[in-house]
Amino acid sequence: MAKFKLDEVDHQILDMLIENTRTPFTDIAKKLLISAGTVHVRVKKMEEAGIIEGSSLTLDYKKLGYSFIAYVGIYLQNTSQTKFVLERINEIPYVTVAHITTGKFNIFCKVRAKDTNHAKEIIFKLDDIDGVYRTETMISLEESINDKKRLMHSIFQEL
């Protein structure tokens, strides 16, 4: 598969869409001094090339009462249980991210909870899954870096 070539206009379009996926194409066009049709065509090409995959909405979980974040490393009794355990983890809506990992843990999860008691309930649910040997939890004190654009800009400089 050939690498899709992005130019500076594509970079600027992506930059604005990452900032706010709901930015109207007409607003992007005005800022870039191009037509809205051009923006539409370029976004469509990037979607067809798989560079843009859908769009997302960012929620302020603190305002919704879910300000507690913990990361849970899961040790499995056997790696052959990974699929089964991930299926059970997927049934717990407060586990928002799960990675199969190498190293210390077999699976590494991000948990969002209301408070420490709620987090404890979630962690106990993880611990109770058949195949989980034990868990190790780290509490997030603060999300210090969450920059969606930084990596994108570094990639653009490499191209």
Side-chain angles (χ1 to χ4, degrees), residues 6 21 25 64 76 98:
L6 298 173
T21 58
F25 289 174
L64 295 171
L76 300 180

PDB file of all heavy atoms in Angstrom, residues 6 21 25 64 76 98:
ATOM      1  N   LEU A   6       0.436  13.915   1.938  1.00  0.00           N
ATOM      2  CA  LEU A   6      -0.273  15.066   2.494  1.00  0.00           C
ATOM      3  C   LEU A   6       0.531  16.319   2.199  1.00  0.00           C
ATOM      4  O   LEU A   6       1.751  16.323   2.333  1.00  0.00           O
ATOM      5  CB  LEU A   6      -0.431  14.919   4.006  1.00  0.00           C
ATOM      6  CG  LEU A   6      -1.234  13.733   4.516  1.00  0.00           C
ATOM      7  CD1 LEU A   6      -1.151  13.656   6.034  1.00  0.00           C
ATOM      8  CD2 LEU A   6      -2.674  13.833   4.081  1.00  0.00           C
ATOM      9  N   THR A  21     -13.664  18.616  15.780  1.00  0.00           N
ATOM     10  CA  THR A  21     -14.146  17.826  14.644  1.00  0.00           C
ATOM     11  C   THR A  21     -15.438  18.375  14.055  1.00  0.00           C
ATOM     12  O   THR A  21     -15.806  18.012  12.947  1.00  0.00           O
ATOM     13  CB  THR A  21     -14.385  16.354  15.045  1.00  0.00           C
ATOM     14  OG1 THR A  21     -15.328  16.299  16.105  1.00  0.00           O
ATOM     15  CG2 THR A  21     -13.094  15.688  15.446  1.00  0.00           C
ATOM     16  N   PHE A  25     -16.832  22.903   7.273  1.00  0.00           N
ATOM     17  CA  PHE A  25     -15.884  23.017   6.163  1.00  0.00           C
ATOM     18  C   PHE A  25     -15.823  24.442   5.639  1.00  0.00           C
ATOM     19  O   PHE A  25     -14.773  24.892   5.184  1.00  0.00           O
ATOM     20  CB  PHE A  25     -16.254  22.053   5.033  1.00  0.00           C
ATOM     21  CG  PHE A  25     -15.999  20.590   5.366  1.00  0.00           C
ATOM     22  CD1 PHE A  25     -16.411  19.617   4.483  1.00  0.00           C
ATOM     23  CD2 PHE A  25     -15.364  20.193   6.526  1.00  0.00           C
ATOM     24  CE1 PHE A  25     -16.184  18.263   4.749  1.00  0.00           C
ATOM     25  CE2 PHE A  25     -15.126  18.856   6.816  1.00  0.00           C
ATOM     26  CZ  PHE A  25     -15.551  17.889   5.918  1.00  0.00           C
ATOM     27  N   LEU A  64     -19.278  15.340  34.662  1.00  0.00           N
ATOM     28  CA  LEU A  64     -20.276  14.277  34.723  1.00  0.00           C
ATOM     29  C   LEU A  64     -20.149  13.452  36.006  1.00  0.00           C
ATOM     30  O   LEU A  64     -20.880  12.487  36.202  1.00  0.00           O
ATOM     31  CB  LEU A  64     -20.142  13.362  33.496  1.00  0.00           C
ATOM     32  CG  LEU A  64     -20.447  14.034  32.154  1.00  0.00           C
ATOM     33  CD1 LEU A  64     -20.072  13.124  31.003  1.00  0.00           C
ATOM     34  CD2 LEU A  64     -21.916  14.431  32.085  1.00  0.00           C
ATOM     35  N   LEU A  76      -2.469 -12.382  34.309  1.00  0.00           N
ATOM     36  CA  LEU A  76      -3.312 -13.536  34.010  1.00  0.00           C
ATOM     37  C   LEU A  76      -2.648 -14.815  34.494  1.00  0.00           C
ATOM     38  O   LEU A  76      -1.421 -14.915  34.530  1.00  0.00           O
ATOM     39  CB  LEU A  76      -3.559 -13.639  32.502  1.00  0.00           C
ATOM     40  CG  LEU A  76      -4.261 -12.454  31.845  1.00  0.00           C
ATOM     41  CD1 LEU A  76      -4.424 -12.716  30.353  1.00  0.00           C
ATOM     42  CD2 LEU A  76      -5.609 -12.185  32.487  1.00  0.00           C
ATOM     43  N   ALA A  98      -8.291  -0.699  27.238  1.00  0.00           N
ATOM     44  CA  ALA A  98      -7.578  -1.909  27.644  1.00  0.00           C
ATOM     45  C   ALA A  98      -6.574  -2.266  26.562  1.00  0.00           C
ATOM     46  O   ALA A  98      -6.898  -2.246  25.379  1.00  0.00           O
ATOM     47  CB  ALA A  98      -8.542  -3.069  27.878  1.00  0.00           C
TER      48      ALA A  98
END
